[in-house]
Amino acid sequence: PPGAGTDAHFIREVTLKAKVATNLNATFRLIKELRKRVVAREKQVALEADLVTQDAIQLIRTGKVHRLRDVHVRPNVGGKKAAGTLELHTNGLRFQAPRGEKLDLLFNNIKLAFYQPAEKEILVLLHFHLHNPIMIGKKKTKDVQFYVEVMEASYALDNARRSGYDPDELEEEQRERQLRNRMNQEFSNFSKKIEDQAKDLEFDIPYRELGFYGVPPHNKSTSFIMPAVNALVELTEPPWFVMPLSDIEIAHFERVVYGLKNFDLVLVFKDFSEKPLHVNAINIEHLDALKTWLDSCNIKFYEGTANLNWNAIMKNINDTGIEGFYEDGGWKFLNMQGSSDEEEEDPDDAESDFEPSGSESEEEEASDGSDEDFTDESDGSEEELGSDESEGQDWDEAEEAAEKDDKKRAREREAKEARESAGQPKKKKKK
């Protein structure tokens, strides 16, 4: 141990005996509990080591306090799911649980804010992605979400069948529709009040029409991921996926092969010390839409046919250094099959660069000369074809003309054979 002298002695093992075993068992249990508390305290200290001290929230003592009632928070405050009240104050938000627990979010610690209405989901929510993590209970988190369920997540099915025109069922659907519209409106109004109070905070609404199904890095199941103005998000099922666009260096599409139905997306952070994020099993029909969206966000992207070993790539980049990495070409090694800024070659330029050599022209002349050795019949047919082509006939007209020519020759041949069979003398050729 540190600080021990050279002449210090230590006991390696001690065996204790007692006439009553309960005393030793109680002592052993107390020692184990004490050790467990010490280890837990050390873990808690290590967990809170990188926490940033937050400013105190400034409560509105006089005047109207805007509130959003009967909302739930994730992660849960106090360890149990219970509806509480979300209040808007001078420099932040305060959530009060029914049993007295409080959660404060300051505006200066909110990096991104999202409002997602309940359209095809059962939740309407406000999601906050923070600059610095905070402690909620015994967990450290950078994402806090307030939500309301606008419909039942599951139904108890009984044996009785309900008709599609059951008035009770129709009334229930109408109540759910009214509740969804009312909660969407309340959350939208509350988000606008937060924007007015915070001044420099703006809520982002994900683009549902650009959404796609994929497997995010923090979730092993397929989720519906939606692009937004400032991030790529999945906010319905925890653990949530929030990837700010300002943190992305490049994007790389993997397994883009003709015939495959899915591909993978790799997002590389600007901080090369962080491990790249993978979104797997995306349907190939979303490839062009994602490229257009990344291009509109000014994010460089590449594509390839294989999965790369990104751990080795990032280790090589960090060992080489950022300056040396970009001096060696940067990300050009990913440009195997084209990228977002690759310019297509002009076909006119390609044709202008081609000039036939002299030997090729001589071969063409020789081939033209050899064509004169054909028979008169073939020459005639070629001349007719050439005249057809010069007149601009299409394939159908050319076939029709050839068919007429064949019939004419057949008639002449039949007449010749008929004359020979009738004993008519053949015409002598002039010498």
Side-chain angles (χ1 to χ4, degrees):
T6 56
D7 56 346
H9 295 78
F10 301 94
I11 299 175
R12 182 176 182 180
E13 184 177 349
V14 176
T15 302
L16 302 176
K17 294 183 179 181
K19 292 182 179 181
V20 182
T22 54
N23 294 335
L24 285 180
N25 291 336
T27 304
F28 178 70
R29 180 177 55 80
L30 292 175
I31 292 174
K32 286 188 67 175
E33 290 181 357
L34 179 61
R35 183 180 178 182
K36 188 184 296 184
R37 286 198 296 268
V38 171
V39 171
R41 185 167 63 247
E42 291 178 352
K43 286 184 178 179
Q44 190 70 16
V45 171
L47 190 65
E48 298 177 356
D50 58 345
L51 291 179
V52 178
T53 303
Q54 303 292 326
D55 299 333
I57 189 170
Q58 300 175 7
L59 301 178
I60 298 178
R61 303 295 182 182
T62 59
K64 183 179 180 180
V65 178
H66 299 287
R67 293 180 173 88
L68 197 60
R69 304 181 186 277
D70 298 328
V71 298
H72 297 83
V73 62
R74 292 192 291 193
N76 296 326
V77 176
K80 292 185 178 181
K81 179 180 177 181
T85 303
L86 183 62
E87 300 177 351
L88 175 61
H89 291 281
T90 304
N91 63 338
L93 300 168
R94 166 167 284 188
F95 176 79
Q96 292 188 351
R99 295 189 298 176
E101 296 92 345
K102 297 179 182 179
L103 172 63
D104 295 336
L105 290 179
L106 301 181
F107 294 145
N108 57 11
N109 192 31
I110 297 176
K111 182 176 182 180
L112 296 174
F114 301 94
Y115 160 61
Q116 181 175 304
E119 295 183 6
K120 295 184 179 180
E121 296 85 9
I122 64 173
L123 303 177
V124 53
L125 57 89
L126 297 178
H127 188 95
F128 299 96
H129 184 69
L130 308 179
H131 289 284
N132 303 309
I134 61 174
M135 294 296 298
I136 299 180
K138 296 182 179 180
K139 295 182 180 180
K140 182 171 64 174
T141 181
K142 290 184 68 174
D143 292 276
V144 182
Q145 185 178 107
F146 304 97
Y147 68 96
V148 168
E149 294 182 356
V150 296
M151 62 180 296
E152 295 283 342
S154 60
Y155 293 93
L157 300 178
D158 51 9
N159 295 328
R161 292 186 177 181
R162 303 179 66 179
S163 172
Y165 299 96
D166 187 355
D168 295 335
E169 186 175 358
L170 295 176
E171 185 178 356
E172 183 179 355
E173 292 179 358
Q174 186 176 3
R175 285 198 303 267
E176 289 180 354
R177 193 180 302 110
Q178 292 176 354
L179 176 62
R180 180 186 294 109
N181 295 335
R182 181 170 61 86
M183 296 311 301
N184 286 341
Q185 188 63 39
E186 288 186 7
F187 272 68
S188 177
N189 294 337
F190 194 77
S191 64
K192 293 178 181 178
K193 294 174 183 177
I194 294 176
E195 291 178 347
D196 296 338
Q197 184 69 26
K199 304 300 182 183
D200 57 348
L201 183 63
E202 184 176 356
F203 278 82
D204 197 353
I205 302 177
Y207 298 123
R208 186 175 300 276
E209 60 274 9
L210 297 179
F212 57 90
Y213 284 96
V215 181
H218 307 303
N219 201 336
K220 295 183 179 180
S221 60
T222 302
S223 304
F224 189 68
I225 303 172
M226 292 182 287
V229 175
N230 299 312
L232 186 66
V233 299
E234 190 281 311
L235 306 176
T236 305
E237 294 293 335
W240 306 296
F241 173 58
V242 179
M243 183 63 190
L245 300 184
S246 58
D247 296 343
I248 298 177
E249 175 71 11
I250 63 159
H252 181 61
F253 298 100
E254 296 183 338
R255 298 193 302 119
V256 181
V257 182
Y258 178 77
L260 290 182
K261 295 183 179 180
N262 298 325
F263 67 93
D264 302 332
L265 173 61
V266 180
L267 302 174
V268 181
F269 287 93
K270 292 182 178 179
D271 183 4
F272 291 162
S273 62
E274 296 188 28
K275 186 178 179 181
L277 293 181
H278 295 252
V279 181
N280 300 323
I282 306 173
N283 196 299
I284 195 67
E285 65 182 9
H286 300 292
L287 180 61
D288 293 336
L290 278 174
K291 287 182 178 180
T292 304
W293 174 69
L294 289 172
D295 189 43
S296 65
C297 298
N298 297 324
I299 295 177
K300 177 79 173 179
F301 62 85
Y302 300 87
E303 74 175 49
T305 58
N307 294 102
L308 303 179
N309 186 355
W310 286 98
N311 291 332
I313 292 174
M314 301 311 296
K315 183 178 183 301
N316 183 30
I317 294 175
N318 291 323
D319 294 341
T320 306
I322 298 178
E323 295 181 358
F325 170 69
Y326 283 107
E327 288 177 359
D328 294 340
W331 301 102
K332 289 184 179 180
F333 69 95
L334 296 175
N335 197 12
M336 298 174 62
Q337 298 182 1
S339 66
S340 60
D341 63 347
E342 184 179 4
E343 298 180 357
E344 296 181 357
E345 184 180 0
D346 190 359
D348 297 337
D349 296 341
E351 292 179 359
S352 62
D353 293 340
F354 174 74
E355 294 181 0
S357 60
S359 60
E360 293 176 350
S361 62
E362 291 176 359
E363 292 177 358
E364 291 179 358
E365 292 177 358
S367 62
D368 294 341
S370 61
D371 292 341
E372 298 176 358
D373 297 335
F374 288 121
T375 60
D376 297 340
E377 184 177 349
S378 63
D379 290 342
S381 62
E382 287 181 359
E383 289 177 0
E384 291 177 1
L385 181 60
S387 62
D388 293 339
E389 291 179 352
S390 62
E391 293 173 1
Q393 292 182 351
D394 57 7
W395 283 106
D396 296 336
E397 295 176 351
E399 287 184 1
E400 185 178 356
E403 185 178 356
K404 290 181 179 179
D405 190 29
D406 292 340
K407 292 180 179 180
K408 181 180 180 181
R409 292 179 182 176
R411 286 195 299 271
E412 291 177 355
R413 186 167 53 252
E414 291 176 357
K416 183 178 180 180
E417 292 177 354
R419 286 194 303 268
E420 291 178 354
S421 61
Q424 295 180 358
K426 297 180 180 180
K427 296 182 179 179
K428 294 183 179 180
K429 294 183 180 180
K430 297 181 179 180
K431 293 183 180 180

